[in-house]
Amino acid sequence: MTNQIRKILLLAANPKGSSQIHLDQEVREIKEGLKRSRHRDQYSIVTAEAVRYRDIHRAILEHEPHIIHFSGHGSGEDGLVFEDELGEIKLVDAEALAGLFQLFADQVQCVVLNACYSQYQAVEIARYIDYVVGMSQEIGDRAAIEFSVGFYDALGADKGYEFAYQLGCRLIRMAGIAENLTPQLMTKTGLSNCSQESATIYIERPPIEEKCYKAIVQPGALIRIKAPQKMGKTLLLEKLLNYARQQGYQTAKLDLKLADSSAMTDLKTFLHWLCANVSDSLNLEDKVDEYWQDSLGLNTSCTRYFQRYLLPNINTSLVFAIDNCERLFQYANIFSEFCLLLRSWYETAKQGDRMGKIWQKLRLVVVNSTEIYPTLDINRSPFNVGLAIELPEFNQQQLQEMVNLYGLSEQLNNNGLSQLVKLVGGHPYLVQEAITHLKSQESSLEEILTLAPTEQGIFSYHLRQQLESLQNDSQLQSGYRRVITVDEPVQLNPDITFKLHSLGLVKIVRNDCIPSCELYRQYFLVRLG
């Protein structure tokens, strides 16, 4: 590193309607770390909070930073979350961000996107900027802060960007958080501590993708994608949305994990938030107040907005995707009415009249995790209509394809892959974690297998999450204890079977249960024994 004073621009965005994250703490930790460093005189820090999309270029022009650090929300391929003029959510996609940074490529050396799923934007920005860090998946507040502390402590010690990246990842791991492989470093020269190929690797599970493609081109379609967490639902959704765009359709994606609790105050507030966000996704002016009439009813007013304004103002079909729909399950006053609303749109599209033709332009995709499945009224929910897609584990052929794509055929030969599968089955997340550690050479296969069911293992964070789910329900604990302590299928109460299967902890063999994988059996025998 040279003695040139490096300017760091910290951008933070947490718009109204998005879930709250600890941005203040992250900014404070970065500043304090650099203030304590030996080379603190080599850095100057400026901050911009509540950042609107128009503020980005203005801040760069004003401060001329060498390092730009963004803290906030990401929504996958849809973009990073900034604010608009009203403080509402404004998504800025990868192409737009990359185009902006291209103009400042002779000045900006490094960009850190400390936001969930920001790897999509990082890959594009790295075409013009020497060093870019993005997140390959969702990242928790604690992990995001630990990474920032390590990254800027290293810079403060006069280390290079690649070393700073490595220290940030190591600090996440030292904090006992199994998200140390979530940050991804991209470089303009193509050198990377984590393979950029991983951003584009997608393993198909036929015939699921083809079924989704055929369904999405049907007028008025409704597709329901459901599975336990970390089974690949969001990746499938992104693939489906890309296919829809290739057909010339417009898309609007609403990620309910981004919704602030204030957006869930009541049904009216939620539907207003939904309409405003869909309008923004379609680059249409927000005219909710103009079309909304409380006297007609809340669902009717929302329907009216789509029917009279949104759908007539687009020339193609619209694919409206709702990700992380399970967020609504805890809001019973919203959930039941919203189910009725979605179902009414689906049923109206079947009509042969003028109204039906309008609603045939809309195709719905609803994605939810099954961990907190409520007891649904099957006559009112949208979850018993349309095409249901349940994501299975990877089979042997798909696992071998993943190994080949990651270039690990030697490390995971037939015997090695068999040992891994014996432990974790074909669970996408567990296999991905093992492969990523092997690819980064952080762990050997023997170390992964030996430490897997312990708190020192690479799966510890995931296992603790599952343990927490069981600890909240004594009946689930008792039932699962029965399953893991015998070597044959166990018949349980149907409700317990349903809940354990929804958590992904068991496989159902006819009416009986067996552990989903040997890893779960070994870990929970110690914790529940």
Side-chain angles (χ1 to χ4, degrees):
M1 304 278 284
T2 69
N3 291 324
Q4 175 191 11
I5 293 180
R6 282 176 167 73
K7 295 180 182 178
I8 302 172
L9 173 61
L10 304 179
L11 302 174
N14 208 159
K16 290 187 297 184
S18 64
S19 57
Q20 295 301 301
I21 51 182
H22 301 297
L23 299 181
D24 291 345
Q25 183 180 350
E26 182 178 352
V27 171
R28 184 170 62 252
E29 293 284 358
I30 293 172
K31 288 182 175 180
E32 290 181 357
L34 286 173
K35 191 182 298 183
R36 291 192 301 267
S37 70
R38 286 187 299 120
H39 298 273
R40 55 184 174 274
D41 293 337
Q42 294 182 14
Y43 291 91
S44 65
I45 302 176
V46 291
T47 61
E49 299 182 12
V51 176
R52 299 171 299 176
Y53 68 97
R54 289 179 180 171
D55 295 332
I56 307 171
H57 73 275
R58 291 170 179 167
I60 299 174
L61 288 169
E62 179 180 354
H63 301 293
E64 299 183 340
H66 302 93
I67 302 167
I68 297 176
H69 181 105
F70 172 75
S71 295
H73 292 288
S75 188
E77 291 191 48
D78 286 343
L80 296 182
V81 179
F82 292 91
E83 297 187 5
D84 63 12
E85 295 83 352
L86 300 176
E88 303 290 346
I89 289 173
K90 173 68 177 179
L91 290 169
V92 181
D93 64 25
E95 183 179 356
L97 285 169
L100 174 65
F101 282 109
Q102 182 182 12
L103 298 176
F104 299 97
D106 59 341
Q107 168 193 316
V108 177
Q109 302 168 353
C110 178
V111 175
V112 178
L113 304 177
N114 213 352
C116 300
Y117 302 104
S118 55
Q119 181 173 270
Y120 290 100
Q121 291 74 43
V123 169
E124 291 300 313
I125 294 171
R127 293 167 56 193
Y128 310 109
I129 304 299
D130 290 337
Y131 298 94
V132 186
V133 177
M135 304 301 158
S136 62
Q137 56 187 357
E138 182 177 337
I139 186 166
D141 285 354
R142 284 182 58 218
I145 292 170
E146 293 293 344
F147 178 81
S148 293
V149 169
F151 187 86
Y152 290 100
D153 279 359
L155 293 186
D158 204 28
K159 301 295 184 181
Y161 293 117
E162 293 193 24
F163 182 92
Y165 161 76
Q166 291 284 4
L167 183 59
C169 293
R170 294 294 195 280
L171 214 59
I172 294 174
R173 187 65 177 152
M174 288 179 67
I177 307 170
E179 299 178 52
N180 55 302
L181 296 179
T182 298
Q184 303 278 293
L185 176 63
M186 322 293 171
T187 67
K188 188 166 67 172
T189 60
L191 299 175
S192 172
N193 293 83
C194 289
S195 172
Q196 295 185 27
E197 295 173 359
S198 63
T200 58
I201 287 179
Y202 178 87
I203 306 298
E204 293 197 350
R205 285 175 266 194
I208 287 175
E209 290 79 11
E210 192 61 33
K211 288 174 67 175
C212 288
Y213 297 158
K214 288 182 178 178
I216 205 67
V217 297
Q218 300 302 314
L222 169 60
I223 300 174
R224 302 174 284 115
I225 301 173
K226 58 180 181 177
Q229 289 184 12
K230 301 183 183 298
M231 288 291 287
K233 300 182 297 297
T234 298
L235 285 177
L236 174 60
L237 173 61
E238 294 293 347
K239 194 169 182 66
L240 181 56
L241 291 175
N242 279 336
Y243 179 81
R245 295 181 192 110
Q246 291 170 12
Q247 311 312 304
Y249 300 165
Q250 293 206 51
T251 62
K253 176 186 167 187
L254 197 64
D255 187 347
L256 296 189
K257 272 195 175 179
L258 296 178
D260 186 17
S261 56
S262 64
M264 307 286 189
T265 304
D266 51 42
L267 181 62
K268 180 178 179 179
T269 304
F270 173 71
L271 294 180
H272 267 248
W273 178 80
L274 179 148
C275 290
N277 276 276
V278 175
S279 300
D280 185 67
S281 295
L282 298 175
N283 291 316
L284 292 174
E285 184 182 352
D286 180 356
K287 293 187 176 182
V288 175
D289 292 337
E290 181 178 333
Y291 286 86
W292 200 274
Q293 291 188 19
D294 283 344
S295 61
L296 296 176
L298 301 180
N299 278 358
T300 300
S301 291
C302 184
T303 298
R304 191 169 186 261
Y305 188 70
F306 272 74
Q307 185 174 292
R308 294 195 177 188
Y309 177 57
L310 294 181
L311 294 177
N313 275 285
I314 56 176
N315 298 321
T316 65
S317 295
L318 168 64
V319 177
F320 178 27
I322 307 170
D323 199 7
N324 294 301
C325 197
E326 72 277 358
R327 177 84 190 280
L328 287 181
F329 293 177
Q330 58 188 300
Y331 299 95
N333 59 325
I334 298 176
F335 179 68
S336 60
E337 292 298 323
F338 188 58
C339 287
L340 279 173
L341 178 66
L342 296 185
R343 180 163 184 156
S344 71
W345 292 353
Y346 174 72
E347 296 295 344
T348 304
K350 294 180 180 179
Q351 299 173 189
D353 56 9
R354 182 182 64 85
M355 204 74 71
K357 289 183 179 179
I358 293 175
W359 284 98
Q360 285 169 13
K361 294 175 71 174
L362 181 68
R363 291 97 201 271
L364 293 167
V365 184
V366 180
V367 182
N368 70 273
S369 293
T370 58
E371 277 81 356
I372 52 175
Y373 249 11
T375 302
L376 299 175
D377 180 345
I378 61 172
N379 294 313
R380 300 178 66 186
S381 141
F383 300 95
N384 65 334
V385 294
L387 174 66
I389 298 292
E390 294 193 44
L391 293 183
E393 293 186 343
F394 290 141
N395 60 31
Q396 188 70 28
Q397 180 181 348
Q398 291 155 3
L399 290 170
Q400 189 62 60
E401 180 185 357
M402 179 183 287
V403 169
N404 294 340
L405 287 171
Y406 276 96
L408 291 172
S409 299
E410 291 187 11
Q411 289 174 271
L412 276 178
N413 53 30
N414 288 339
N415 182 51
L417 182 58
S418 296
Q419 291 181 65
L420 180 60
V421 172
K422 183 178 180 181
L423 181 70
V424 302
H427 191 292
Y429 170 73
L430 299 178
V431 173
Q432 177 77 49
E433 279 290 284
I435 284 179
T436 306
H437 274 79
L438 290 171
K439 181 72 175 177
S440 66
Q441 299 182 337
E442 290 200 4
S443 308
S444 68
L445 179 59
E446 182 179 359
E447 289 172 333
I448 291 174
L449 297 177
T450 301
L451 297 175
T454 72
E455 294 301 330
Q456 192 179 347
I458 65 172
F459 308 118
S460 59
Y461 180 72
H462 171 73
L463 292 169
R464 285 197 299 272
Q465 283 185 311
Q466 295 289 49
L467 178 61
E468 184 178 342
S469 298
L470 288 178
Q471 288 174 332
N472 293 331
D473 191 320
S474 60
Q475 288 185 319
L476 287 184
Q477 282 189 57
S478 177
Y480 200 53
R481 189 181 295 112
R482 287 180 57 196
V483 172
I484 61 176
T485 51
V486 297
D487 293 325
E488 57 188 25
V490 175
Q491 186 168 4
L492 300 174
N493 174 286
D495 287 342
I496 300 299
T497 297
F498 172 75
K499 291 179 180 179
L500 289 174
H501 185 253
S502 296
L503 286 167
L505 288 171
V506 300
K507 294 178 181 177
I508 299 176
V509 181
R510 296 190 177 181
N511 295 320
D512 300 333
C513 298
I514 60 173
S516 292
C517 62
E518 182 61 21
L519 173 65
Y520 289 167
R521 183 195 295 275
Q522 293 180 22
Y523 179 81
F524 287 107
L525 272 175
V526 175
R527 299 301 180 280
L528 302 180

